[in-house]
Amino acid sequence: MIDYKKELNAAQYEAATTLEGPMLVIAGAGSGKTRTVVYRLANMVQQGIAASNILLLTFTRKAAQEMQHRAAQLLGQSAGMVGGVQGGTFHAFAYSILRMHKPQGYEGDLSVMDSADAAGALKHCKDTLGLGKGDRSFPKTQTVMGLLSKARNKELTVEDVLRREAFHLASYAGDLTRISDTYRAFKRRHALMDYDDLLFELERLLQSDADLLAYYRDRFRYIMVDEFQDTNLVQARLVRLLGSGHNNVMAVGDDAQSIYAFRGANVQNILDFPDMFPGTRIIKLEENYRSVQPVLDLTNAILDDAPQAFRKKLFTRREGGPTPHVLRPLSDLTQASMVTSKITELLRTYPPDEIAVLFRAGYQSYHVEMQLGKLGVKFKKYGGVRYSDAAHVKDVLSYIRLVVNPLDLPAFQRMASLVKGIGAKTCLKLYDAAQKADRSVLKKACARFPDLQHDLDMLDALRAKPLTPAGLTQAVIEHYQPRLEANYPDDYPRRQHGLEQLVQIAASYNDVDLMLSDLCLEDPATDKGEDISAVTLSTVHSAKGLEWSAVLLIDLVEDRFPSRHALNKAEDFEEERRLMYVACTRARDYLALFVPATIYDRSGGGNTPANPSPFVRDLPAHLYEDWRENFTGTLTRRQDARPVTVSAARTSGPASGGGRQAEQGGGALGNGGRPASGYCTHKIFGRGKIIQHVPPDKYRVNFPGFGLKVIMAQYLTLE
């Protein structure tokens, strides 16, 4: 028999041995969530619950298989009893039912398309409608697929998704809606479903067939759902549909780690679970088995101001450990040097694969990549491609390489390929003519391809000027901008950020040749994808579920972390806070937070002051060591730090409405006592006129050039 009291801590034991009634397990980071589910699964089988009556829903097939395998190992000779548990993803579960009970409205035998089949069907619908022909700016099929999937999973209109996340494609809203409608009809006519259809069609089937719903409720009398904070709206409704009646539903998750709203995840699902299932027992797993206490003290503090529903304090039995560091470099460029210096220092203690650099967005690691490359430190990047592998960066570098070396064939081929109508054979012919100075051939080609003439004229002009690396790079990017928008219409605003970083990288060089060698030369081992021990560079989203001995978190300034898009909506701001929490809880031993004092601004041609991230600014000072970079490049520890005084008027960002167990408080500007008229200033939109006070803590403001915006009071400075 398994000694559950000996194997589990008190909270885990309660969760594993409570088998009847609804239960919500709030599993803090590193608190043994999987272990708890495994022991509960084993206990259910030991207590005589038939495996066929148990439904285990996870977000990956691997997770379900691992849980069942570990439960089988615990049970030993009774292991075979676990095999009857239906475990897997929501989508696999939905398909298992739909293939036996085909929903109405589909003709013939039902088939589920993979992503390639779905893309082909969508392209067929687009071509049938005659949309996008001759329009190079029309979003590509994969982009359309992503937008329609996002609209489906978030249960929004296509227009809403474009307005929120792809404003540069808003002019195509009507066309994309037509494609969506045609695609939906095509699937029904041919008895096809794609990945997103499965959950909605299962819901429709269960709602329309009371007998079938009753059958599955009776069959799956015990339901366990992993990572409940990542469920979308339809997944939560399915859990409620299947669990209502017996109410033996255990949801496991952590509202503080809900960071996938962009995929459709809705944190409100886990917050509302006690309302979905009245009488829910709430159990909190707060003992952490990963991090040292100084790291946990800091991560607990990140959530202190969150209007979350389920308060918890992580603790550990791991004694000692270094105090986290807050390092304040002079700029985001010197930040890269500080990060690589810290990595070099950490490599004396940890192997490379125990060190990670985390960031909010993929482009933020570019400077670090450059510095690591110079030092010969191998790294692997997750969440965004390596900087020098990005297509738009390669495009710009091809121009720069041709300025330096007019006979650079690969660069000429890449530049020429950007001109519509020039293929591989024509490119080689033109290169040969350029090499031999055959003006007649070049003249004919330029007459046929005016864009090529424009490119060659630009290169000649740049070769005649004594430009710095930064000046040369700036000039090339300005020339390339129309190509960027034309060739990458789906996401050129994101790529533009990368090119802005390239100008800053160039500004750190006095020699173009040296800059090109650092950018273009790759480590052969890394190129081949060999399994080497390397430092990890990762977006925070890609780091979820992973851990390292040492974690360095960079670019902790406003507009980067939190992102500028999160400053106008309370729910977006709070997701950024949770993202910060997830990032910091990846660290086992050492945590460093980098807060550059200035950020490069390409439009202004220099560095501009940066405001520290509110998630750092609001941390009590006794929880970290504060180090500041001097003009000499040395670091000085600030000895005069004092704990932050918390008040209702703090500027940590917007606070949404509270919930169960939430501590509520509003900003001073949002609680009355101030006139809802006059003028104010916003960091992004500038000066505007206040039109209306929107209780409790927002204002509707008219900003010239931007129109009406509803802004959290904390982000406005009243005049």
Side-chain angles (χ1 to χ4, degrees):
M1 291 290 291
I2 303 169
D3 189 341
Y4 291 93
K5 280 197 172 181
K6 182 179 179 181
E7 296 290 332
L8 304 172
N9 65 39
Q12 291 172 335
Y13 175 81
E14 183 182 1
T17 56
T18 301
L19 305 184
E20 301 293 329
M23 178 168 57
L24 176 61
V25 178
I26 302 298
S31 62
K33 174 201 70 174
T34 301
R35 181 180 181 84
T36 304
V37 175
V38 166
Y39 273 80
R40 187 175 193 265
L41 182 58
N43 187 36
M44 293 172 77
V45 173
Q46 274 194 327
Q47 297 300 320
I49 296 174
S52 59
N53 292 144
I54 302 172
L55 175 62
L56 173 62
L57 294 173
T58 62
F59 275 83
T60 66
R61 182 175 57 183
K62 181 180 177 182
Q65 290 174 337
E66 179 190 355
M67 290 175 183
Q68 288 174 269
H69 176 70
R70 287 173 57 179
Q73 287 183 315
L74 284 176
L75 291 170
Q77 293 181 345
S78 305
M81 299 172 66
V82 182
V85 172
Q86 178 144 351
T89 65
F90 276 89
H91 293 83
F93 170 69
Y95 181 53
S96 70
I97 296 180
L98 291 171
R99 63 197 297 256
M100 292 187 292
H101 311 280
K102 189 177 69 175
Q104 294 180 351
Y106 286 87
E107 301 174 12
D109 294 332
L110 191 65
S111 296
V112 175
M113 299 183 289
D114 61 19
S115 57
D117 293 335
L122 188 73
K123 184 178 185 304
H124 171 79
C125 295
K126 185 185 76 169
D127 293 344
T128 300
L129 292 169
L131 297 174
K133 290 183 179 179
D135 183 358
R136 295 187 66 186
S137 297
F138 198 91
K140 297 180 176 62
T141 299
Q142 287 298 332
T143 299
V144 176
M145 283 288 295
L147 291 169
L148 298 189
S149 177
K150 190 167 289 189
R152 192 84 190 278
N153 283 292
K154 289 190 171 187
E155 301 186 30
L156 298 171
T157 65
V158 173
E159 291 89 343
D160 285 338
V161 171
L162 292 176
R163 185 168 56 251
R164 296 181 182 195
E165 303 180 29
F167 189 74
H168 61 290
L169 298 176
S171 60
Y172 294 107
D175 290 341
L176 297 186
T177 299
R178 289 178 63 198
I179 292 173
S180 177
D181 294 341
T182 304
Y183 177 56
R184 186 181 302 112
F186 175 89
K187 287 184 291 184
R188 288 190 174 278
R189 188 165 60 251
H190 295 281
L192 298 170
M193 287 188 188
D194 61 23
Y195 188 74
D196 296 324
D197 292 325
L198 294 170
L199 302 183
F200 290 96
E201 291 298 344
L202 175 60
E203 180 186 31
R204 193 164 69 95
L205 176 66
L206 295 177
Q207 288 177 333
S208 63
D209 191 332
D211 292 338
L212 190 66
L213 176 59
Y215 168 77
Y216 280 109
R217 280 178 175 173
D218 183 63
R219 177 179 170 183
F220 299 118
R221 283 180 283 138
Y222 295 88
I223 300 174
M224 291 190 286
V225 187
D226 190 25
E227 303 285 13
F228 199 77
Q229 80 279 351
D230 293 336
T231 55
N232 61 23
L233 292 171
V234 67
Q235 287 167 333
R237 292 197 300 268
L238 283 171
V239 171
R240 187 172 190 173
L241 264 176
L242 292 166
S244 294
H246 56 68
N247 286 338
N248 295 325
V249 180
M250 181 183 82
V252 185
D254 183 6
D255 53 306
Q257 296 186 69
S258 179
I259 60 173
Y260 294 118
F262 66 94
R263 296 180 186 170
N266 193 319
V267 68
Q268 205 60 40
N269 288 343
I270 192 169
L271 299 180
D272 290 344
F273 186 87
D275 294 331
M276 280 195 280
F277 295 98
T280 292
R281 177 184 295 200
I282 300 175
I283 300 172
K284 299 178 184 178
L285 305 185
E286 298 175 291
E287 182 171 354
N288 179 281
Y289 295 92
R290 175 188 300 156
S291 306
V292 295
Q293 193 62 48
V295 169
L296 297 180
D297 289 339
L298 184 141
T299 55
N300 285 332
I302 292 171
L303 298 179
D304 281 348
D305 297 322
Q308 63 182 55
F310 305 111
R311 300 286 175 187
K312 60 183 175 299
K313 289 290 183 182
L314 297 181
F315 67 92
T316 183
R317 300 181 191 185
R318 291 188 62 194
E319 298 181 356
T323 301
H325 288 173
V326 171
L327 300 108
R328 304 179 189 272
L330 292 171
S331 71
D332 51 346
L333 188 58
T334 62
Q335 170 185 247
S337 298
M338 288 178 64
V339 168
T340 52
S341 295
K342 178 59 69 175
I343 289 173
T344 302
E345 175 189 327
L346 291 167
L347 285 171
R348 301 185 194 124
T349 305
Y350 304 110
D353 54 7
E354 281 296 327
I355 302 170
V357 180
L358 304 183
F359 33 87
R360 175 64 180 82
Y363 76 88
Q364 291 173 301
S365 70
Y366 295 159
H367 297 303
V368 175
E369 293 176 43
M370 291 287 295
Q371 293 292 335
L372 291 176
K374 290 179 184 179
L375 294 176
V377 176
K378 294 179 175 62
F379 66 88
K380 295 180 180 180
K381 184 174 181 179
Y382 301 94
V385 298
R386 287 173 63 114
Y387 185 55
S388 55
D389 288 340
H392 53 292
V393 174
K394 285 181 174 290
D395 291 346
V396 169
L397 290 179
S398 70
Y399 290 107
I400 298 175
R401 286 164 57 184
L402 286 169
V403 171
V404 175
N405 176 12
L407 300 181
D408 186 330
L409 174 58
F412 187 88
Q413 289 174 313
R414 187 168 192 97
M415 181 198 74
S417 71
L418 297 174
V419 178
K420 186 178 181 181
I422 296 182
K425 290 183 179 179
T426 303
C427 178
L428 289 174
K429 183 179 179 181
L430 292 174
Y431 176 79
D432 186 60
Q435 190 177 28
K436 295 176 180 177
D438 190 336
R439 296 187 179 183
S440 63
V441 173
L442 290 174
K443 185 176 181 180
K444 289 180 181 178
C446 290
R448 184 180 175 190
F449 305 111
D451 285 345
L452 177 64
Q453 177 73 67
H454 190 37
D455 287 342
L456 297 177
D457 289 345
M458 184 271 297
L459 293 175
D460 288 337
L462 291 179
R463 290 192 196 104
K465 296 179 181 179
L467 293 172
T468 63
L472 173 59
T473 304
Q474 179 72 51
V476 168
I477 289 176
E478 290 176 358
H479 171 83
Y480 174 72
Q481 184 68 32
R483 299 277 175 81
L484 176 72
E485 297 181 13
N487 293 348
Y488 307 103
D490 298 349
D491 63 348
Y492 71 83
R494 178 185 63 81
R495 294 176 187 266
Q496 185 65 50
H497 284 297
L499 296 182
E500 291 173 1
Q501 298 297 307
L502 185 59
V503 177
Q504 188 179 10
I505 289 171
S508 65
Y509 288 87
N510 295 319
D511 185 272
V512 176
D513 285 332
L514 183 58
M515 179 188 80
L516 288 174
S517 67
D518 285 342
L519 279 165
C520 299
L521 291 179
E522 299 289 352
D523 186 327
T526 305
D527 283 346
K528 294 175 184 176
E530 296 177 3
D531 187 15
I532 56 175
S533 179
V535 173
T536 298
L537 305 184
S538 177
T539 61
V540 181
H541 284 102
S542 297
K544 176 85 160 43
L546 304 176
E547 59 185 73
W548 296 269
S549 294
V551 169
L552 316 178
L553 186 55
I554 64 173
D555 269 0
L556 290 170
V557 295
E558 286 184 359
D559 292 353
R560 291 194 173 183
F561 204 148
S563 71
R564 69 178 59 185
H565 302 295
L567 297 179
N568 296 318
K569 296 180 67 177
E571 57 266 34
D572 293 344
F573 183 87
E574 289 307 319
E575 176 148 325
E576 296 285 307
R577 184 195 301 278
R578 298 192 294 269
L579 198 62
M580 176 79 172
Y581 174 79
V582 167
C584 293
T585 53
R586 301 308 96 195
R588 285 196 290 262
D589 302 327
Y590 176 75
L591 175 64
L593 311 178
F594 288 81
V595 187
T598 62
I599 295 293
Y600 181 77
D601 179 12
R602 187 170 73 92
S603 61
N607 280 33
T608 59
N611 291 322
S613 168
F615 308 135
V616 175
R617 196 166 61 229
D618 293 345
L619 288 173
H622 66 280
L623 296 179
Y624 58 86
E625 291 183 11
D626 199 338
W627 295 83
R628 189 177 300 273
E629 182 184 19
N630 303 317
F631 287 108
T632 58
T634 59
L635 289 174
T636 301
R637 182 178 176 185
R638 294 181 64 190
Q639 301 294 337
D640 59 343
R642 295 288 184 272
V644 175
T645 300
V646 181
S647 69
R650 69 188 311 159
T651 59
S652 61
S656 64
R660 288 172 300 278
Q661 306 173 25
E663 296 173 6
Q664 299 196 21
L669 296 180
N671 287 326
R674 300 284 186 95
S677 61
Y679 290 88
C680 64
T681 303
H682 185 268
K683 178 175 171 52
I684 296 174
F685 302 117
R687 189 171 185 265
K689 183 174 182 179
I690 297 175
I691 304 300
Q692 179 186 12
H693 174 222
V694 183
D697 56 357
K698 298 179 183 178
Y699 284 92
R700 181 170 282 107
V701 184
N702 186 25
F703 294 100
F706 295 97
L708 286 174
K709 302 282 183 183
V710 177
I711 305 289
M712 303 301 298
Q714 290 92 332
Y715 284 109
L716 298 175
T717 301
L718 295 183
E719 295 183 4

